[in-house]
Amino acid sequence: MLFINARVILEGGILQNGFVRTKGAEIIEVGECKKNADKSCCNGSVSGTNGAFAPKDGETVVDCSGDFISPGFIDIHSHGGGGFDNMDGSPEDIEGAALAHLKYGTTTYYPTTLTSSDEALFKTFECFRQVKKNKSNLPHLPGLHLEGPFFDMVQKGAQDPRFIKNPKPENYMPILEKGEGIISRISFAPELPGALEMADVFHKAGIMMAAGHTAATYDEISKAYDHGVRHLTHFYSGMSGIERKGGFRILGTIEAGYIMDGLSVELIADGMHLPPDLLKMILKLKDHDHICICTDSMRGAGMPEGPSILGAKVGGQEVIIEGGIAKMPDRTSFAGSVCTMDRTVRTMVYKAGLPMWEAVRMASLLPARFMGIEKKTGSISAGKEADLLIFDNDVNIKQVFVSGKKM
């Protein structure tokens, strides 16, 4: 395919009159269109790396009509969407959630679990393997993100306390063995007894590690960094901040996120979990190369307002979707995000003040880099997967392509 008349979003800016050429599943060329006398673009005359050329025989031309063409979004933290939860217990539930996010621009999706019984977790493993084996017309599904069960009770948030455990070998080795080859990331509290020993085992297995639902001090996060922790799960949510002990101020996980350059952070960029002014502060204080945006969505993402369930259908918490977020029934607190990746980009541009290219970078290249898949996807450049989006100024998704195939 040859995409023309596009504002091409690149890693460091926007190519205003650009084109993108794909062959099969791969991007093979990116360049700038020459304007014709009638001010049309690429109508038989394209300037690229190989000089002027016309569309090739058999090549489908996609006229973007001045809209943006962007790398596909990568959601590294999502529990569900479209009325489905990843832990509902069937392959169709994982597929349904992935498809719900695909239409909003997520071309790479990491299904995320909640703290649960081993039985429920291992059932999710089985369902995910079936989906990967039979996947069709879905986003890329590189692996699972395990959110729990090794958390600090002080920062448990919505995690079910019945299943929170300390990271003892008899607790985590069965998870590692049952999840062989499909666990991409685990979020855990590194201050727990045995946590760093577990981190060494998971790191050796090639699993990306993140600190989350943690009461760790700055010093404890520093030690965890030495054991492979490189990321903070949903920055500010479920983590410790500065406090006073015996008159002394003790820095927490939040401060570690700012001070430690090697730590990346993920933001639930729905504009509500982190209000716009807080997003602006984060952008002012944290190196932008180490910020990802994600949805951390529950089943209500992409669904109309009204009653919903947080967690699995069986045993989950009744909640209500209202005003663009899930709330507890008594409305005293949030109960989860219902955003999609297009909304996260829109929030970062129109509420936090980022340029479009940089917000897209936080939704594509930077999460790809954290997950170690940046050589395959995450930006528009020759040799990468043709995971592409076409959207307008308001980030309304018009077309989605996964590996060069229109979805």
Side-chain angles (χ1 to χ4, degrees):
M1 286 182 285
L2 178 62
F3 297 84
I4 63 171
N5 284 323
R7 287 176 285 172
V8 184
I9 300 178
L10 303 176
E11 294 180 19
I14 297 175
L15 192 61
Q16 290 296 331
N17 297 305
F19 74 90
V20 177
R21 170 165 270 148
T22 68
K23 184 177 182 180
E26 186 178 316
I27 298 167
I28 60 171
E29 193 173 11
V30 183
E32 187 174 6
C33 300
K34 282 184 176 178
K35 290 287 186 180
N36 296 310
D38 62 358
K39 296 186 179 181
S40 63
C41 185
C42 295
N43 187 15
S45 177
V46 179
S47 175
T49 57
N50 298 319
F53 56 89
K56 299 176 181 178
D57 290 341
E59 196 169 54
T60 301
V61 176
V62 180
D63 189 343
C64 297
S65 302
D67 283 332
F68 292 105
I69 186 165
S70 158
F73 302 144
I74 299 173
D75 194 353
I76 60 176
H77 189 163
S78 169
H79 297 277
F84 301 95
D85 188 276
N86 297 320
M87 299 191 73
D88 276 343
S90 78
E92 290 74 23
D93 297 306
I94 295 175
E95 289 179 2
L99 285 170
H101 285 280
L102 179 64
K103 66 182 181 180
Y104 294 103
T106 297
T107 58
T108 299
Y109 181 71
Y110 286 88
T112 303
T113 64
L114 281 167
T115 294
S116 68
S117 66
D118 283 353
E119 180 183 7
L121 182 63
F122 297 159
K123 178 66 174 177
T124 303
F125 290 175
E126 177 186 333
C127 292
F128 182 72
R129 285 193 171 97
Q130 291 182 47
V131 174
K132 277 187 71 73
K133 183 179 179 181
N134 303 314
K135 94 177 187 81
S136 177
N137 298 321
L138 292 175
H140 300 294
L141 300 167
L144 294 170
H145 166 205
L146 306 190
E147 192 178 6
F150 308 111
F151 287 145
D152 195 313
M153 289 291 286
V154 173
Q155 293 285 355
K156 66 180 178 62
Q159 302 288 333
D160 193 330
R162 293 177 298 166
F163 303 113
I164 290 177
K165 305 174 183 177
N166 279 332
K168 300 176 181 179
E170 59 265 33
N171 291 333
Y172 61 76
M173 288 307 297
I175 292 174
L176 187 61
E177 291 163 5
K178 291 280 189 180
E180 183 179 4
I182 60 170
I183 302 173
S184 293
R185 166 187 169 191
I186 184 168
S187 295
F188 70 105
E191 72 275 17
L192 297 175
L196 299 185
E197 290 81 359
M198 181 187 75
D200 291 337
V201 173
F202 276 62
H203 184 59
K204 186 177 180 180
I207 295 168
M208 310 305 290
M209 286 174 296
H213 293 278
T214 172
T217 64
Y218 172 83
D219 288 343
E220 288 169 330
I221 293 294
S222 296
K223 290 177 183 177
Y225 186 89
D226 293 336
H227 291 263
V229 171
R230 293 292 184 272
H231 189 74
L232 299 183
T233 297
H234 45 48
F235 196 41
Y236 274 91
S237 298
M239 64 179 57
S240 55
I242 193 168
E243 61 178 338
R244 295 188 75 163
K245 293 182 179 179
F248 294 94
R249 287 183 173 85
I250 308 298
L251 304 187
T253 303
I254 292 170
E255 290 73 35
Y258 286 121
I259 296 170
M260 297 175 65
D261 293 335
L263 277 180
S264 58
V265 302
E266 70 185 27
L267 312 181
I268 306 173
D270 60 358
M272 305 182 82
H273 280 79
L274 303 173
D277 288 340
L278 181 53
L279 290 173
K280 291 174 184 177
M281 187 183 85
I282 295 168
L283 292 172
K284 186 171 184 178
L285 298 177
K286 182 67 177 175
D287 175 12
H288 290 196
D289 284 347
H290 288 84
I291 299 175
C292 308
I293 52 180
C294 70
T295 66
D296 191 11
S297 61
M298 44 83 80
R299 72 174 68 247
M303 297 293 287
E305 297 198 342
S308 187
I309 299 173
L310 176 64
K313 287 179 181 176
V314 178
Q317 168 70 52
E318 291 186 3
V319 299
I320 186 165
I321 302 171
E322 186 178 76
I325 197 163
K327 302 175 183 177
M328 298 301 288
D330 62 4
R331 294 173 174 79
T332 58
S333 64
F334 293 163
S337 157
V338 296
C339 75
T340 48
M341 285 300 288
D342 61 322
R343 177 174 163 187
T344 68
V345 172
R346 199 177 300 119
T347 297
M348 297 305 288
V349 173
Y350 294 110
K351 293 186 178 181
L354 278 182
M356 182 69 74
W357 69 268
E358 196 169 7
V360 166
R361 190 168 184 262
M362 290 180 181
S364 53
L365 180 63
L366 298 181
R369 188 175 291 168
F370 167 61
M371 297 306 302
I373 59 172
E374 74 276 16
K375 292 183 179 179
K376 297 180 180 179
T377 189
S379 63
I380 298 180
S381 57
K384 290 195 177 185
E385 291 271 347
D387 300 331
L388 301 168
L389 310 174
I390 299 173
F391 58 75
D392 63 17
N393 290 331
D394 294 322
V395 203
N396 295 308
I397 308 297
K398 295 185 175 182
Q399 295 188 62
V400 179
F401 299 83
V402 178
S403 296
K405 181 180 179 181
K406 186 175 180 180
M407 296 289 107

